[in-house]
Amino acid sequence: MQDKIIVALDVSPEKAREIVAKTKDLTAIYKMGPVLWHQWGAESLSFFKDQGVRVMIDFKFHDIPSVAAASLVCLAGHQGSEVIWGVTLHALGGFSMLRTAVIERDKLPKDRKFLLFGVTVLTSMREKDLYRVGINRTVDAQVKKLSMLAQDAGLDGVVASAKEISAIRKVCGKDQLVLVPGISLDSNRRRDLDQKRAATPREAFELGADHLIIGRDIYQAEDPRERLEMMIEAIRVDKILH
Ligand code: C5P
């Protein structure tokens, strides 16, 4: 089963159950952020476990080092947490926060460990949005800077748009995983989404993504299973999948 496409479930628990039931033979990893967690809570982890799939927890932690690390430890303490494949932190939280998170993650029992990913620049942001928060450099330069920071701190990878993959590879090499949101099969639809630095699944893989994170393009489709099959087919043609 492929794990290249991670299905983001920013939906209700009912809808999440329905989508997992329809697609769990097509993908090995789903993503849960605050939208689903706040409706369902930690017991959702047992659901994913029973379905035989992994889950990425996308809470994008951004806090003082001790609190960010303690949050990770609490997450790992939930029943069913062995199903957690990865967790996100904002790389902008700084070296100390990232490094402390890695150190605390490494102390967890082997079956509770997960990968850690640094969110670089949200795919909904453009250069002008960076300027408005006081960052006076290009998106590429900021993503590069934060990717190097995440790598230095020992994170397993970063989250960035397809447009920055080659810049990340230049500074971090091939070892850092690059997870790419902001994906849609349909270029008209991509313009409607709040994702500003977007790409199709094929474009993102051609540019060197390790995993894609795809939400609305799948869960808002009339037939989410068919939509996911189309995406898998699109990347199979490129021999990303065999
Ligand atoms: O619906 P859509 O495919 O745009 O969802 C993308 C998902 O990826 C959302 O769950 C969003 O929280 C997440 N994400 C993102 N940009 C980042 C990091 C995570 O869109 N930089």
Side-chain angles (χ1 to χ4, degrees), residues 18 32 35 41-42 64 68 75 86 100 135 143 146 149 151 158 176 178 180 194 208 216 226-227 230 239:
E18 184 195 318
M32 171 159 48
V35 173
I64 57 172
L75 196 52
T100 312
I135 297 170
V143 170
L146 292 174
L149 186 78
Q151 188 173 42
V158 290
Q176 282 291 88
V178 183
V180 178
D194 53 358
R216 286 166 291 184
E226 185 190 62
R227 192 79 176 171
M230 282 165 70
K239 302 206 169 18

Side-chain angles (χ1 to χ4, degrees), residues 8 10 31 58 60 119 121-123 159 181 183 193 195 213-216 219:
D10 299 316
K31 185 178 84 75
D58 189 18
K60 301 184 182 71
V119 174
V121 176
L122 292 170
T123 37
V159 184
I183 302 290
L193 301 177
Q195 299 284 15
I213 296 172
I214 312 177
R216 286 166 291 184
Y219 66 70

Side-chain angles (χ1 to χ4, degrees), residues 73 100-110 112-113:
V73 174
T100 312
V102 170
I103 291 168
E104 290 307 314
R105 184 277 312 268
D106 289 347
K107 289 183 198 160
L108 293 171
K110 206 167 165 226
R112 303 274 153 166
K113 281 195 181 37

Side-chain angles (χ1 to χ4, degrees), residues 69 80 90 128 131 139 144 147 167 190 205 219 229 231 233:
H90 267 292
K128 63 178 185 191
Y131 290 149
V139 171
K144 268 202 282 194
S147 298
R190 276 188 284 147
F205 279 120
Y219 66 70
E229 277 172 342
M231 290 175 168
E233 202 40 51

Side-chain angles (χ1 to χ4, degrees), residues 101-231:
V102 170
I103 291 168
E104 290 307 314
R105 184 277 312 268
D106 289 347
K107 289 183 198 160
L108 293 171
K110 206 167 165 226
D111 68 332
R112 303 274 153 166
K113 281 195 181 37
F114 36 70
L115 300 173
L116 285 173
F117 298 103
V119 174
T120 56
V121 176
L122 292 170
T123 37
S124 53
M125 294 179 86
R126 288 183 281 210
E127 211 158 285
K128 63 178 185 191
D129 303 301
L130 288 184
Y131 290 149
R132 290 199 75 177
V133 295
I135 297 170
N136 297 318
R137 52 156 70 96
T138 63
V139 171
D140 254 37
Q142 179 68 359
V143 170
K144 268 202 282 194
K145 181 113 189 139
L146 292 174
S147 298
M148 285 191 286
L149 186 78
Q151 188 173 42
D152 285 350
L155 266 65
D156 303 286
V158 290
V159 184
S161 94
K163 316 240 175 285
E164 297 97 42
I165 299 171
S166 65
I168 297 171
R169 296 285 181 220
K170 262 186 214 134
V171 290
C172 296
K174 287 202 183 311
D175 287 349
Q176 282 291 88
L177 293 171
V178 183
L179 275 51
V180 178
I183 302 290
S184 173
L185 270 180
D186 172 349
S187 49
N188 287 329
R189 191 174 146 68
R190 276 188 284 147
R191 276 195 288 274
D192 296 340
L193 301 177
D194 53 358
Q195 299 284 15
K196 300 296 182 226
R197 306 189 330 275
T200 67
R202 268 181 93 156
E203 284 165 353
F205 279 120
E206 276 166 6
L207 289 164
D210 290 297
H211 299 271
L212 307 186
I213 296 172
I214 312 177
R216 286 166 291 184
D217 214 46
I218 294 174
Y219 66 70
Q220 287 180 350
E222 212 169 295
D223 184 341
R225 181 182 172 87
E226 185 190 62
R227 192 79 176 171
L228 179 56
E229 277 172 342
M230 282 165 70
M231 290 175 168

Side-chain angles (χ1 to χ4, degrees), residues 10-96:
D10 299 316
V11 294
S12 68
E14 296 71 35
K15 180 86 177 168
R17 280 198 201 91
E18 184 195 318
I19 291 177
V20 174
K22 283 187 181 152
T23 58
K24 67 181 182 191
D25 59 318
L26 295 178
T27 189
I29 309 171
Y30 293 84
K31 185 178 84 75
M32 171 159 48
V35 173
L36 186 55
W37 182 272
H38 286 304
Q39 298 177 82
W40 202 350
E43 69 186 67
S44 56
L45 297 174
S46 303
F47 164 77
F48 288 106
K49 194 178 164 198
D50 293 345
Q51 299 300 308
V53 295
R54 307 292 305 274
V55 66
M56 174 176 172
I57 300 291
D58 189 18
F59 287 172
K60 301 184 182 71
F61 291 113
H62 188 169
D63 214 316
I64 57 172
S66 58
V67 172
S71 305
L72 291 179
V73 174
C74 288
L75 196 52
H78 287 303
Q79 198 175 347
S81 72
E82 58 274 30
V83 82
I84 300 175
W85 173 77
V87 179
T88 54
L89 306 113
H90 267 292
L92 210 52
F95 181 81
S96 181

